Amino acid sequence: MSLVISLVLLGLGIGQRTFWAPPETIVSQLEQSTDAQLIVISGETMDQHDGRQTVTITDDGPVTAVVGRDHDVLGWVGDAEHAVAQLGEADALTLDEVSGADDPLPSLLGSDMWIEEHEGDGRVQFAIDLPVGFSMAIQGEPGAAAPADVRVEWPFDAKTPLFGPLITAGLVFLALALVLFLLALRRHRRSRGPQRRSHRELSRAERRALARDARAGLPLPERAVRPSDPAIEPTDRSADAPTDRSADAPVDEAAPAQEPPAEGAPERGEGRAPRAASPARRRLGIVALPALAAIALTGCGPQYWPGGEPSATETVPTPTSIEETLPPVALTEQQFSRVLEDTREVVAQADADRDLGLAERRTAGPVLDARRTNYEVRGESDEIEPLLGIPDGEVQLLLPQQTETWPRTVMAVVAWEDSARAQSTLVFRQTDAREPYRLVYQATLASGVQVPAVASPTIGAASLPGDTPLLQRRPDEVTMAYADVLINGEDSEYASWFQEEGDALREQIGKAWKDEQRAKPEYELTDLEWFADEDEQAPLMLVTNEGGALLATSFTETQRTTPAEEGVEVEAQAGPAILAGVESSTRGIEQTYQIQVLFAVPPADAPEGAQIQVVGFAQSLLDAREVG
C-alpha cells in the first residue's frame, strides 16, 4: 500500500511541473488602436512583472521604438498628442489618450538623448530590461497613427506550491515501503531455518573402534573423517573422536608438532580479497536514498512550497547617494561619446567640402559663424588654411549641466592624439528636445593654465543666470570688460578684474601688441584703431567645485585701418581682401575678428585678490569691408 501511495504522490508531483504546469511567459497584447502618433510605455509599467521583457511591434509600414530617460522622452513628446500604455485587467495593454497638438511629428530616430533605437519595416522585435526612470516611445510612419499591434512578454517563473510537498511525501512513502519490504524479507528467511543436510550419528561400536585404534597407536586414516562420510557421520561436534581431547582419547605426545609457515609465506589473514559490503549496509543505502532526496527537496526554491512567496510591503525609496538628490545630468558619458564622434565626422566632412549646410547639423553660434567665413574665403583662395577641427583624442574632462529642461549645456576638454598639440575646450548646447547637441564654443587651452576642479560626469554642475550675485563679477559684465582690457590695457577701468600673468591672449592681441602694430613702418601713413562689440551668442557657464564658474563667451574686435594722408592706399591681406572685394582702398579697410574666451570666474566669497583667469581662447576672421 505504501508503494502505491508513493507512486500516486510522485506522479501528482511530477504532473505539477509537466502536464499541469502554468505557461512559461506572461503576455500583454495591445487591444485598442489610437489616432495618436506616439505610444509611450513607462518603466513602471514594464516592471510590473519580473524579468527581461520581449517587445514585438507590428505595423504596415516603418516601425520605430526608442528608449530614453523619462524626462528626455516626455521632453521630446512635448505638447504633442500621444497615448500612454498601461497594464489593465488580465494583463492587457490599454491606452490612456493625452490630448495635445496633432501636427505631424518628425522621426524619433537620431536624437542624442536615446539610450537605444530599434527600427524595422513591418515588424520590430527586441529584448530589453527597462528600469524605472526610463520610458519607451513607439512610432509608426512619421505623421501617421502609432502601431496598433504591440505585444510585451515577460518570463514567468511558474509557482507550483504543491510540487515540493507531493514529491517529499512520495519519497517518504517510498522509503517506508522499502523498509517494510526488507523487514518482511528478513522475517521470511528466519522462518525457513537452516538449509544444511541432516547427518547420521555414529554408533557405539564405531566410537569404540576409533578409541581402540588411537590407544594402539595405529596411523590415522588417509583422509579425514568427514561428517558426511557414510562410515562416520557424527551429529554432535563434541563427540567427534579425532578432535576430541577428552580422557578417553589422550593426546599422543609422539605426534609431530605443527611446522611453522615457510619464510615469505603470507601470514594468516593476509592476501585475502576485500570483503564485500554486508547485506545490512546495502539495505541501509537503499532506504537512505529516498530519505536524502526528501531532505534535499526541503532546500528547493520557495516557488515549490505553499506560502513561499515573500510578502509584498510598501516601501518608500530613500536617496542613497548625492546623485539621487540632484537633478539629472543633461546627458551621460555614453551619450556624449556618440555626440562627440558624430560631431567629429560631420565637421571633418563639412570642412573638407566647405559644406555649410552639413556643418549646421553639429555647429552653431560662434563656431558656425567662423566656419561660414572660412568656407567663403577658402572657396576663392587655396592659400587660406581651414579652421581647427575637432580633437581626435580622449575626453579629459566632461561637465554636463544638471537639468531636466531646455536649453542644455555640456562642457568638455578633449585632447589630440598628438600630445604636442594643446587640448581644446568644447561647449555644446541643445536648444530643445528635438534638436541635436551643437558645438557653440571651441577654445584652445592656454599653456600652463589649470582648469578648476569640477564635479564628476555623473553629478554634473548647475548653471547660473547672467546676473547672478553668487560670482565675483556678474557674467553678463565679464565679456565686454575683458574686451576693454585688450584694447586699453592697464588704462582700462576693468584691468584689476583679470589676472595678467599667464594670459596668452593678452600677449598676442593686447594693448602692447596693438602699440607695436602702430609703430611698424607699413602703418606709418595710416591710422589704426580697434573697437569691440558684443556677440549675439549669450555666455554659457557651469559651476565649479569651489563655487565659481567656467564661463564660455565671445565678442568681436574690429581693426580699422584708414589713410592718415590723402592719396594713401590701404592694402588688404588675402582673406580680408576677398571679403571686402578690394585689394586696396583709399578709404580704408575694416577687419572684424571673432574672439572666443573661456574664463574661470571666482565665487563671490573668494579670498581678497582673487581674479578672473583666462583658461582658453580662439580667434578667427569673421568679416571685412571697405570703410565708408
Side-chain angles (χ1 to χ4, degrees), residues 316-338:
V316 178
T318 57
T320 58
S321 64
I322 189 172
E323 293 95 4
E324 297 180 9
T325 63
L326 297 173
V329 295
L331 81 177
T332 64
E333 293 180 81
Q334 180 184 5
Q335 290 172 320
F336 180 76
S337 296
R338 296 200 310 265

Side-chain angles (χ1 to χ4, degrees), residues 218-254:
L218 295 178
L220 294 173
E222 294 182 359
R223 64 184 181 86
V225 179
R226 303 177 185 275
S228 59
D229 199 305
I232 303 176
E233 293 184 355
T235 58
D236 189 359
R237 289 182 181 273
S238 62
D240 195 347
T243 60
D244 189 11
R245 298 295 183 180
S246 63
D248 295 339
V251 177
D252 187 1
E253 297 179 358

Side-chain angles (χ1 to χ4, degrees), residues 408-576:
R408 298 178 173 184
T409 301
V410 178
M411 292 187 181
V413 175
V414 185
W416 294 88
E417 289 187 357
D418 181 4
S419 59
R421 304 181 65 178
Q423 300 173 342
S424 292
T425 58
L426 307 177
V427 182
F428 289 84
R429 184 176 178 84
Q430 186 184 33
T431 56
D432 63 65
R434 297 180 188 176
E435 293 293 328
Y437 278 90
R438 290 185 170 91
L439 181 62
V440 178
Y441 293 109
Q442 179 179 0
T444 301
L445 285 181
S447 177
V449 176
Q450 186 70 30
V451 179
V454 296
S456 68
T458 58
I459 296 178
S463 183
L464 297 173
D467 58 351
T468 177
L470 300 178
L471 299 179
Q472 187 187 66
R473 304 295 177 183
R474 288 179 48 175
D476 52 12
E477 297 176 344
V478 172
T479 304
M480 297 312 298
Y482 183 73
D484 187 75
V485 171
L486 289 180
I487 295 175
N488 299 311
E490 295 297 328
D491 297 334
S492 172
E493 60 178 308
Y494 309 107
S496 61
W497 289 17
F498 302 92
Q499 179 178 324
E500 184 176 3
E501 182 180 358
D503 188 348
L505 180 57
R506 195 183 303 194
E507 294 178 2
Q508 290 185 15
I509 61 173
K511 184 176 185 301
W513 176 83
K514 291 178 172 61
D515 291 340
E516 292 177 0
Q517 297 298 308
R518 292 188 178 99
K520 287 184 177 181
E522 55 265 34
Y523 295 112
E524 183 178 1
L525 299 178
T526 61
D527 293 327
L528 289 179
E529 296 178 278
W530 283 269
F531 55 90
D533 198 1
E534 293 182 347
D535 202 351
E536 295 180 358
Q537 177 65 49
L540 301 178
M541 78 192 83
L542 293 175
V543 176
T544 63
N545 289 351
E546 291 78 14
L550 286 172
L551 175 67
T553 184
S554 65
F555 60 92
T556 61
E557 185 179 78
T558 301
Q559 174 184 323
R560 175 181 293 171
T561 308
T562 57
E565 298 179 1
E566 188 174 350
V568 176
E569 290 187 352
V570 176
E571 294 186 358
Q573 299 176 355

